[in-house]
Amino acid sequence: SLKGSEGARPRVGEKVLHLCLFVEANLIREPLVVFVCATTGQGDPPDNMKNFWRFIFRKNLPSTSLCQMDFAVLGLGDSSYAKFNFVAKKLHRRLLQLGASALLPICLGDDQHELGPDATIDPWLGDLWEKVLELYPVPIDLPVIPHGVPLPSKFTLQFLPEAPNPSSKESCLAISDSLGPPSESQPFLAPMVTNQRVTGPSHFQDVRLIEFDITDSGISFAAGDVVLIQPSNSAAHIQQFCHVLGLDPSQCFVLQPREPDVPCPPGLPQPCSVWQLVSQYLDMASVPRRSFFELLACLSPHELEREKLLELSSAQGQEDLCEYCSRPRRTILEVLCDFPHTAGAIPPDYLLDLIPQIRPRAFSIASSLLVHPRRLQILVAVVQYRTRLKEPRRGLCSSWLASLDPKKGPVQVPLWVRPGGLAFPETPDTPVIMVGPGTGVAPFRAAVQERVAQGQTGNFLFFGCRWRDQDFYWGDEWQELEKRGCLTLVTAFSREQGQKVYVQHRLRELGPLVWELLDHRGAYFYLAGNAKYMPTDVMEALMSIFQEEGGLSHPNAATYLARLQRTLRFQTETWA
Ligand SMILES: Cc1cc2nc3c(=O)[nH]c(=O)nc-3n(C[C@H](O)[C@H](O)[C@H](O)COP(=O)(O)OP(=O)(O)OC[C@H]3O[C@@H](n4cnc5c(N)ncnc54)[C@H](O)[C@@H]3O)c2cc1C
Ligand SMILES: NC(=O)c1ccc[n+]([C@@H]2O[C@H](COP(=O)([O-])OP(=O)(O)OC[C@H]3O[C@@H](n4cnc5c(N)ncnc54)[C@H](OP(=O)(O)O)[C@@H]3O)[C@@H](O)[C@H]2O)c1
Ligand SMILES: Cc1cc2nc3c(=O)[nH]c(=O)nc-3n(C[C@H](O)[C@H](O)[C@H](O)COP(=O)(O)O)c2cc1C
C-alpha cells in the first residue's frame, strides 16, 4: 500500500526485518536498510539485538562488506543516561566503516524531550522519505491513498454471538507451550504473599515491600537480577473506557491478523473478552503520541472533533499538543473522554493500531533465594504526582501493585525474571561498595543477603533517605547485620538538618576509606536508583576522591574511572 500524507510522508509497504530473526549475512544483499535501535543497560544493545551486534563487529568483515547498502539509523534513547543513544551512534559509525552510505545523519530520539522521541523523529522521517523517494520514486501505476483515509487495521476482531465455555479447549491463553523459565510470552502467575507499606503513615511517599511466592515456577535468580511485571488497568478505568467507546466488556471475539506473517499479541487469550483486551493489553493510561491523533482524526465522523484532532496531529499543532497532552501528562483515556463522538465511533478493529500495548515494568529483586527460598521480594515506590490537571497522575504499574491486597483474597501477578545490570564478585573477600539511595537500595538488599549467607566479607552500604523514622528501608535489618560484623552501613538522612546531606557527601567524607578499598583491596563499586542527578553527583564525588586521595590529575582520575567501568568494577543500575 502507498499512502500520501502531510509533508510527503507516504507509507509504503515496507519490509520490517526484526534483527533477532534476520539472517545477518543477508545484509550484504540489501540495498536500503533503516536501523531502529534502543540503548539499554549502561550503553548496551537490547537482548534481541545481541546476535546482530556480535556479527556486525566481527573483526574479519572486510571494509567493503556493505558498499552496496544505503542506510539510515534511528536511535531510541534517553538523555538522562550517561551513554545517550550509544548503540545507535556506534552502529552508525560501524556501518560507515563497512562501506555503507548514510542517506542522512543519525536521528537521536530522546525520551526526556517534552514531546518524547517524536520531537526529533518526525522531522527526520520527513527527510528520510524525501531521500528514499528520490532513489525509489513511486511507481506511476500505484494508487496513492488520499490523506485522511486510514490504512486497513492490523487485526480484525470477529465477535462471537455468545461467550465460549471457559472449559472448552479453544478458550486457552494464546501462549506457547515452550519449556524453560517464565518469559514475556509465558509469564508466571505469582501469588502475592504480602504487600506492606514501609514508609511512615504520614510520609508523602508510599513505598511498598511486596513478596511473591515463586514455588514451582522454574524461576531462579541471583543478586542484581530484575523481575519484569506485566500490569493491568484498573477496573474503574476499564469501565470508563468501555462506556465511552460503547463496548460491552463481556463480549468475546477472536483476533485475526490481516496479513499472514503478523503474529497475534502474546498473552492474549483466544477467544478473548473485551474486558481482557482492555485490562491487559491497551495502555490507555499512557500519554498519547502524535500518531494517535493522526489515526483518531482519520476515524472521526464528527467534523468539529476531527478538525481539532487534525490540528493536534499537524506539524504546526505540536506546541498545542504539548500544552494539551505532554506537559500535563494527559492520558489516552482522558483524551478519548474529551472527544466523545469520535471515541464512540472507533471501529474495534482499530483498537490495537490506535492504543499501544501495556509494557512490562522492571523491578530490582530485593531478596536472595538463600535467605528467602521460594520467595521473591521487591521494593516499589508508588508513582503519584500532580500537574495542572485536577486528578493526580498515577503510575500504572506501581499503583496497580499497591492496590492489590492479598489479605482480601488470592492475588496473582504475571512476572518473569531477567539478568540485571549488576553482577557481584564470587571471591570471598573482594569488598563491595554499594551506593543506593531511596528504592535504589533494593538490589543491595539481595546482594547483602546473598553475600552474608555465603560468608563473603567487605560489605559497605551507603544508603540515603529523608528521615530515619519515615523511609529508612530495612533499617533494623542493616543494624542487626552491623552488630554481627557482616556489614558497614553509612547513612545520609537528607532532611534531618538544615542542609541536604546525600550519599555522595558521605562518600567524600570517607574518601580515604573508599580509595583504600578501591585502589588497594580491589573493591567493586555499585550504584543504583534514580537516573536523574544522583549518578552524576556520585561519579563527581568519586572523581574528587581519586584526585584528593590518589593524587591523580583530573584526566588520570577520568581514566581510572573508565578502567573501573571497563573491568566491571564500577557498575550501575539506574532508572528514570
Ligand atoms: C532495571 C530497572 C530496575 C528498577 N527497579 C525499581 C525498583 O526496585 N523499585 C522501583 O520502585 N522502581 C524500579 N524501577 C522503575 C519501575 O520499572 C517503574 O518505572 C516505576 O515503578 C514506575 O512505573 P509505573 O508504571 O508505576 O509508572 P508509569 O505509568 O510508567 O509512569 C512513570 C512515568 O511518569 C512520569 N513521571 C513520574 N514522576 C513524575 C513527576 N514527578 N513529574 C512528571 N512526570 C513524572 C515519568 O515519565 C515516568 O517515566 C526500575 C526500573 C528499571 C529499568
Ligand atoms: N522525577 C524525578 O525526578 C524524581 C526524583 C526523585 C524521586 N522521584 C520519585 O520518587 C519516588 C522514590 O524515588 P527514589 O526511591 O529514587 O528516591 P527518593 O525517595 O526520592 O530519594 C532518596 C534520597 O535521595 C535523596 N536525593 C535527592 N537528590 C539526590 C541526588 N542528586 N543525589 C543523591 N541523593 C539525592 C533524597 O533527598 P531529598 O528528597 O531530601 O532531596 C532522599 O533522601 C519514585 O516514585 C520516583 O519516581 C522522582
Ligand atoms: C534499564 C535501562 C537502561 C537504559 N540505558 C540507556 C542508555 O544507556 N542510554 C540511552 O540513551 N538510553 C537508555 N535507556 C532508555 C531507552 O533506550 C529508551 O527508553 C528506549 O526508548 C527504550 O526502547 P524500548 O522500550 O523499545 O526498549 C535505558 C532504559 C532502560 C529501561
Side-chain angles (χ1 to χ4, degrees), residues 16 142 146 148 210 223 246 354 402:
V16 178
L142 207 62
I210 296 177
L354 192 63

Side-chain angles (χ1 to χ4, degrees), residues 233 237 240-241 244-245 278 281-293 296 309 321 324-326 328-340 343 346 350-358 389 393:
N233 287 308
H237 282 167
Q240 198 182 359
F241 182 89
V244 76
L245 268 80
V278 180
Y281 191 85
L282 301 180
D283 196 359
M284 64 171 106
S286 62
V287 179
R289 298 245 188 254
R290 175 176 159 172
S291 55
F292 170 86
F293 289 92
L296 203 56
L309 290 164
L321 178 60
Y324 173 57
C325 266
S326 317
R329 313 290 300 166
R330 198 183 298 272
T331 65
I332 286 182
L333 177 58
E334 287 166 329
V335 172
L336 291 171
C337 293
D338 283 351
F339 291 86
I346 295 171
Y350 276 99
L351 285 174
L352 285 91
D353 296 277
L354 192 63
I355 304 177
Q357 181 183 353
I358 299 177
L389 301 179
R393 308 291 90 191

Side-chain angles (χ1 to χ4, degrees), residues 42 221-226 364-368 370 419-436 440-452 454 456-461 478 487 522-528 567-573:
Q42 296 144 55
F221 55 85
D225 288 350
V226 159
S364 296
I365 297 175
S367 57
S368 165
L370 299 180
L422 308 176
F424 293 84
E426 284 171 9
T427 41
D429 51 2
T430 303
V432 293
I433 305 172
M434 298 165 280
V435 179
V441 75
F444 304 136
R445 164 58 159 35
V448 170
Q449 284 193 343
E450 194 167 289
R451 288 175 59 84
V452 170
Q454 289 170 338
Q456 287 169 300
T457 55
N459 302 309
F460 295 83
L461 175 65
W478 303 134
L487 175 73
Y524 280 52
F525 190 99
Y526 298 88
L527 171 61
T567 54
L568 298 183
R569 285 182 50 213
F570 178 94
Q571 299 177 34
T572 64
E573 181 86 279

Side-chain angles (χ1 to χ4, degrees), residues 465-483:
C465 67
R466 273 112 192 185
W467 292 281
R468 79 186 70 221
D469 61 347
Q470 296 296 325
D471 52 346
F472 188 5
Y473 314 128
W474 298 297
D476 295 342
E477 210 172 292
W478 303 134
Q479 281 155 8
E480 181 58 32
L481 286 167
E482 269 206 300
K483 271 194 220 143

Side-chain angles (χ1 to χ4, degrees), residues 172-192:
C172 56
L173 280 183
I175 50 179
S176 66
D177 290 332
S178 71
L179 294 170
S183 60
E184 179 157 15
S185 58
Q186 202 161 22
F188 175 65
L189 292 177
M192 186 186 274

Side-chain angles (χ1 to χ4, degrees), residues 158-177:
Q158 290 164 6
F159 283 95
L160 305 175
E162 55 191 64
N165 176 355
S167 63
S168 88
K169 259 193 164 175
E170 280 174 319
S171 176
C172 56
L173 280 183
I175 50 179
S176 66
D177 290 332

